[in-house]
Amino acid sequence: MKLGIVGLPNVGKSTLFNSLTKAGAESANYPFCTIDPNVGVVAVPDERIKLLGDLYNTKKVTPATIEFVDIAGLVKGASKGEGLGNQFLANIREVDAIVHVVRCFEDTNVVHVDGSVDPVRDIETINLELIFADIEVLERRIAKQGRAANNDKKIAKEVEFLKKVIKHLEDGNLAIGFSCSDEDEEAWLSSYNLLTAKPVIFAANVSEDDLADDGASNEHVKKVREFAKANNSEVFVICAQIEQEIAELDDDEKAMFLEDLGLKESGLDKLIAASYRILNLMSFLTAGEDECRAWTIKIGTKAPQAAGKIHTDFERGFIKAEVVNYKNLLECGSLAAAREKGLVGMEGKDYVVKDGDVILFRFNV
């Protein structure tokens, strides 16, 4: 899973990115790796694989991971070359979802680029740049397909579809809200990889005082939540400054620090939960003496496709999946004991994998 972090200058975007990726480096078995200065990989905290690792006395525990991309250069006028211009486009096109950091704190020492704190205005500023960039992509596509449309009905149909999407965007709407009328249109829209077609999670960056009630008394946060609800987006409340402090702590210190603040989870935990929800994801597990591991898949994935996440040969030669819920496995103490109690199922190609399934795949290539 790859998440792109966007936001106007001085909203806390880089502070959040640095704290999230440092958290990944300090508290996870999965090594933090810097792919380049603005990309970091963070482990998804998952108590289940730690417990399974203890059960199997495993050599290696491997969590699922999220790749964060700090997308610079996205400012008002970026589509016309302001800031870093369109340099942000290459990075943002590849992400699964966008984490949009919006400023919801007042601080006279931190200048806002537009002179005042107004998160909905900021959101619309960024959205407008993404819309402009998408229109440019679609217009190039029309220019490419235009001549061939005279002799090919399918291409002509696509050109008309492109014009409809452009009109939708020109009216200030995002591509994610565009209604396709058939499978052709759905396939085309997906193939364009439009920026405004990506799901969005809003990170409402607040002061420490607003953290305890999850921003409930902050008028800026209320507006962000209303905007997000109208646009089928997720919202989580964060204090980037506090996240930076949490990132310096080990697990025990972190738990005490969060308790002192009256918080149940860190901003990173909230973000991971929101990203799994908005992308319709879950994890299944594999366990053994060599490795216990979490694998991220779409909800509704069937057993052979889940096997393919591990290796394409597993999917190609899939025979059966031996499945047990991780709680049952932990309670029984071993796979053999779980089998004896009838808690292990032998599942075929139509089995839909559930969150927390521990699976042993049988295959033959």
Side-chain angles (χ1 to χ4, degrees):
M1 173 167 39
K2 190 185 276 193
L3 302 178
I5 302 181
V6 303
L8 291 173
N10 293 345
V11 297
K13 176 175 73 78
S14 294
T15 304
L16 177 60
F17 172 78
N18 292 336
S19 60
L20 291 179
T21 49
K22 186 164 179 58
E26 298 294 332
S27 64
N29 288 329
Y30 189 90
F32 166 74
C33 58
T34 303
I35 299 163
D36 61 45
N38 68 333
V39 180
V41 176
V42 175
V44 176
D46 195 333
E47 188 67 21
R48 300 173 301 185
I49 49 170
K50 290 180 187 172
L51 296 170
L52 289 169
D54 292 341
L55 177 67
Y56 280 89
N57 197 21
T58 192
K59 294 172 189 168
K60 186 179 178 186
V61 173
T62 307
T65 59
I66 295 179
E67 193 172 302
F68 287 106
V69 185
D70 184 16
I71 294 162
L74 192 42
V75 296
K76 190 172 186 176
S79 58
K80 298 183 181 72
E82 294 294 326
L84 294 178
N86 278 338
Q87 287 178 32
F88 70 87
L89 292 179
N91 279 332
I92 204 171
R93 291 246 178 248
E94 303 310 314
V95 303
D96 299 303
I98 293 169
V99 180
H100 188 157
V101 184
V102 284
R103 178 170 166 176
C104 294
F105 65 90
E106 301 281 354
D107 186 342
T108 52
N109 295 317
V110 183
V111 178
H112 191 289
V113 287
D114 286 327
S116 62
V117 177
D118 184 343
V120 173
R121 178 200 60 209
D122 293 353
I123 290 166
E124 288 171 345
T125 296
I126 295 271
N127 282 351
L128 201 54
E129 296 308 317
L130 300 182
I131 285 170
F132 287 149
D134 280 348
I135 289 172
E136 197 178 312
V137 166
L138 298 176
E139 285 176 341
R140 282 204 304 270
R141 180 76 181 170
I142 287 177
K144 185 181 174 185
Q145 298 287 68
R147 290 178 188 171
N150 295 327
N151 306 313
D152 187 313
K153 285 184 179 177
K154 182 140 189 189
I155 293 176
K157 181 184 173 186
E158 185 190 356
V159 169
E160 285 309 306
F161 171 70
L162 285 160
K163 290 175 181 174
K164 279 196 294 183
V165 180
I166 287 174
K167 175 72 170 66
H168 175 81
L169 294 171
E170 285 176 341
D171 289 341
N173 303 307
L174 306 181
I176 199 166
F178 185 85
S179 297
C180 295
S181 57
D182 59 33
E183 288 181 3
D184 282 344
E185 292 190 352
E186 286 172 8
W188 287 326
L189 192 60
S190 176
S191 72
Y192 305 145
N193 199 14
L194 298 177
L195 304 177
T196 63
K198 296 181 185 297
V200 177
I201 303 162
F202 292 107
N205 189 14
V206 300
S207 65
E208 183 182 333
D209 295 341
D210 286 328
L211 265 186
D213 70 351
D214 203 34
S217 55
N218 183 310
E219 288 302 316
H220 298 311
V221 174
K222 285 179 189 173
K223 288 175 184 172
V224 174
R225 285 187 166 131
E226 285 166 14
F227 185 93
K229 189 175 180 183
N231 290 274
N232 295 318
S233 301
E234 288 272 346
V235 182
F236 73 104
V237 172
I238 195 166
C239 174
Q241 214 61 50
I242 292 292
E243 287 303 309
Q244 204 165 29
E245 292 178 39
I246 289 172
E248 305 291 338
L249 306 174
D250 64 30
D251 284 354
D252 290 339
E253 290 172 328
K254 176 180 153 184
M256 287 170 63
F257 186 68
L258 288 172
E259 194 176 326
D260 288 345
L261 289 170
L263 304 175
K264 292 178 182 173
E265 55 188 352
S266 70
L268 176 59
D269 296 333
K270 288 182 190 175
L271 174 51
I272 288 168
S275 58
Y276 269 66
R277 281 194 302 272
I278 204 163
L279 291 169
N280 209 26
L281 299 174
M282 64 176 208
S283 297
F284 75 91
L285 316 166
T286 52
E289 289 178 12
D290 288 332
E291 184 182 39
C292 288
R293 184 163 180 168
W295 304 85
T296 304
I297 56 172
K298 285 268 186 191
I299 292 171
T301 299
K302 291 186 177 178
Q305 288 69 50
K309 286 287 286 186
I310 300 172
H311 198 288
T312 51
D313 284 351
F314 283 27
E315 183 174 357
R316 197 156 46 93
F318 179 88
I319 300 170
K320 290 280 181 186
E322 204 167 354
V323 183
V324 59
N325 179 270
Y326 83 98
K327 285 182 182 173
N328 291 336
L329 179 55
L330 290 170
E331 284 168 9
C332 292
S334 71
L335 190 61
R339 279 196 198 105
E340 282 177 22
K341 291 191 174 180
L343 297 172
V344 180
M346 290 297 285
E347 307 292 351
K349 290 182 177 180
D350 291 329
Y351 177 73
V352 177
V353 177
K354 298 181 185 68
D355 189 51
D357 277 350
V358 182
I359 306 180
L360 179 62
F361 293 105
R362 308 281 183 196
F363 71 103
N364 182 32
V365 176

